[in-house]
Amino acid sequence: MEISDGKIDRREFFAIIVILIASKFTDLTATIILRTGRTAAWILPIISFIVIILPFLATLALLKRFKKKNFIEIIYAIAGKYLGFVIAISLFFILLSATAINLRNYADAVSTMFYPNTPVAFFILLGAVVSYFIANRGLEGIGRTASLLLPCFAISLLLLIVLTWQHFQDSYLFPLLGPGVVALLKDGLVYSTIFADIIVMAVLFPFVKDYRSYRTASIRGLIVSAFLVSLFLLIYIIVFDFHPATVVNHPFHQLNRRAQLGPFITNVEAIFFFFWILAKTLRFAIYFYVMAIILGYSLTLKEFEPLILPLAGLTAMLSLIPENIVEGTLDFRDNFLLQRSWLYFITVPIVLWFISKWREKSKDESL
Amino acid sequence: MRVCKFIFLFLLLILLMGCWDRQEVEERALVMIIGLDIAEKGMLEITYDIANAAAVDPGGGGGDVGLPSETITFLAPDFVSARDIVNSSVSREISFLHLRVIVVSEELARTEEFIHHFSPVLRDREIRRNVEIIVSQEKAEEFIRNNNPKLEERPYSFFEHMESRWRETSLTPLSILDKFFQRMEEDAGVFLAAYATAEVNPVIEKPTEDEYIAGEFPKLGGNPTQVLGSAVFKKGKMIGVLTGEETRLALALRPDVETDPFLVTYPDPIDEDYKVAFRVHKEQHNRIKMNLKKDVPKINVTIPLTLELLGVPSLINYIEDPNNMEVLKDSITAYLQGKAEALIDRTQEEFMAEPFKWSQVARRQFWTLKEYEGYHWMKSYPKAEISISFEIEISEFGRQLDSLDLQKIRD
């Protein structure tokens, strides 16, 4: 057995990215996109993917240029102490509010669909505690868990597709362009934040084995995630029809409920529920760890790992604030987070890249 | 430290049981059939048919386990609060996890208030989406109490088996909750629900066997329940009834194959005293072409059917005589065409909407939702010019090629 060096390899990083991003179709992100895209909701992730390519490539270029530094350190190196702090800490706050809302969604889904009498706070707490334990194991622990979980999760998704096949009605996809090409392009741009995680992952760069692994894993991870999100949005439309799909609270779980094997084996949703919980918990663990890194490096602290526990607690407490998912997700997350922060994620990497390119050029010229 | 971890994990395991949502099977009253009737002052009269779990257990003890189910009827202001009120006299917690059938009386279904009473069913977590909806001619309470299947031990398993029969004969549609709400929200067509009764009013003079609706089929003995024909729902309200034959045609006119092979008789073209019996297979999809660009929509539907000749009571030789075969095919085609056109006229004039899921074909003609919703399929349908053609192939003849030659035998 080789001695671990505290770094994760390509496979583990790929698994982390896919679980992080692809699991977005299992929660209210799907509802948000279905409400805007309607019959063409499955096209939106494709447009968002195209939009995020440029900032993503800019991030990769920055990482390659600066070699061992992570994204926060790069921000500081290029933007200086004060502006760098502003940019880095805003990233932290965006992530903190996103994770808190996500945790609330998760708790709501479990409470609504499976355990109606149990208080939502219980699931928030439970989710935060378990995710903390995973995050505490360090990135290696997270990476190994992710690479173990990913194939199981993928098989359960495949099984889900097979078992709900009989409910597919392809005529529900029509009219194909839904709200129209212009609306789709605009929404695809605005909702590109669903893939913004791929840029946030740049904070993990020093922990990945080498640049090549990082690059291959993130490119493949992004493509696979975009495909999965688009595929499942398509499935939601062809199973539910666009209007019920926008009204149904938790489309992934409703889809699970329709999975049936013959006339007698119904209610197999427990299997999918199990893998979904594992994926979600892992996702929060990754978020806690990444938030700790961002906060730690933003404040230029010596260690960031002790930050995980207080951040988990803070996230849990913030999750309790919204009154219900309408206020929390459809209002706050949709209107504020998702629709406004796209500007941040698209411009920051590109602007930073330009600045660093310009500085290098002027450095070359001055030599 | 290790001990602490173990204790902690152990405590977590206990949590796996679920504290607040723990359910004991013996503490649950499993409602298998729900009946909804209208009562005065906007209240609902609700009937629960609760299965007796002990009596249902096939291996379980002999001896006196009681009736297979208990039927209770009560008044309630709405569907949701009824669950708690009923616990004033039912000792177990009501559970809809195994609900199979919701029976709605025709009287309630034809009111504007019906959909207001019925929509809470959508939000209920426990009610599965594939619960059947049956519309009963009489009060739902009477229907549930009079339903007395002799061959089944439990009343709801009657409906379980009947679902397969409905799929096989197509005399009644397969009407499930999911599709009811989907069709209503799509707002493009009408929904067909199973139509039933447990009161028999036989009508002897109907010319063919499938022109009955529930209750008219003359029969003695067995379960008084008859499920035949369909109740037509438009925008969540019942507006009419289709006979068994019309239901079959409606299902046959749909874009996808929704009918299993079924048995019919058509008038014998050569000898008017008799009919010819067939098994009708619908194996290929209909070809539906639409031209929606002009003011008057034009729809062309071609329905390919494969027929299996099963009985010729008139003993005329249709099989080996090609002229007779042509006459037979033409006569069936004309007959079916006439029936289909009559049904379509009825949908255009009486219902002003179609039960054929043609809206799903119409949707493909538009590129954006704005165009499709602006076109308003349901409003455009009644003025459409529709032409139907049947393509009949008589492919099989049962076990014998030739009928008995009665002339020769009797001479």
Side-chain angles (χ1 to χ4, degrees), chain B residues 43-44 69 114 124 168 255 272 299 368-369 385 392-393:
Chain B
M43 306 253 275
L44 270 184
S69 69
F114 167 63
D124 193 303
E168 286 163 14
E272 278 176 15
I299 305 175
T368 67
L369 275 170
E385 274 175 24
I392 309 276
E393 261 182 28

Side-chain angles (χ1 to χ4, degrees), chain A residues 112 118 174 177-178 257-258, chain B residues 21 125 178 185 363 367 369:
Chain A
T112 311
T118 313
F174 294 86
L177 293 181
R257 289 230 165 152
R258 277 171 169 69
Chain B
D21 280 287
R125 268 177 215 98
D178 199 16
E185 291 186 52
R363 277 167 82 148
W367 277 110
L369 275 170

Side-chain angles (χ1 to χ4, degrees), chain B residues 19 32 46 48 57 59 70 101 105 129 164 167 174 192 205 218 227 240 308 332 366 377 390 395 405:
Chain B
C19 313
M32 312 302 267
I46 303 184
Y48 285 162
D57 180 15
E70 181 193 344
V101 183
S105 68
R129 288 260 162 157
S164 310
R167 199 175 276 133
L174 211 57
L192 298 179
E205 291 88 42
V227 187
E308 190 184 333
I332 296 174
F366 299 94
W377 172 251
F390 284 87
S395 65
D405 196 348

Side-chain angles (χ1 to χ4, degrees), chain B residues 53-65 153:
Chain B
V56 158
D57 180 15
D64 185 21
V65 285
E153 253 187 38

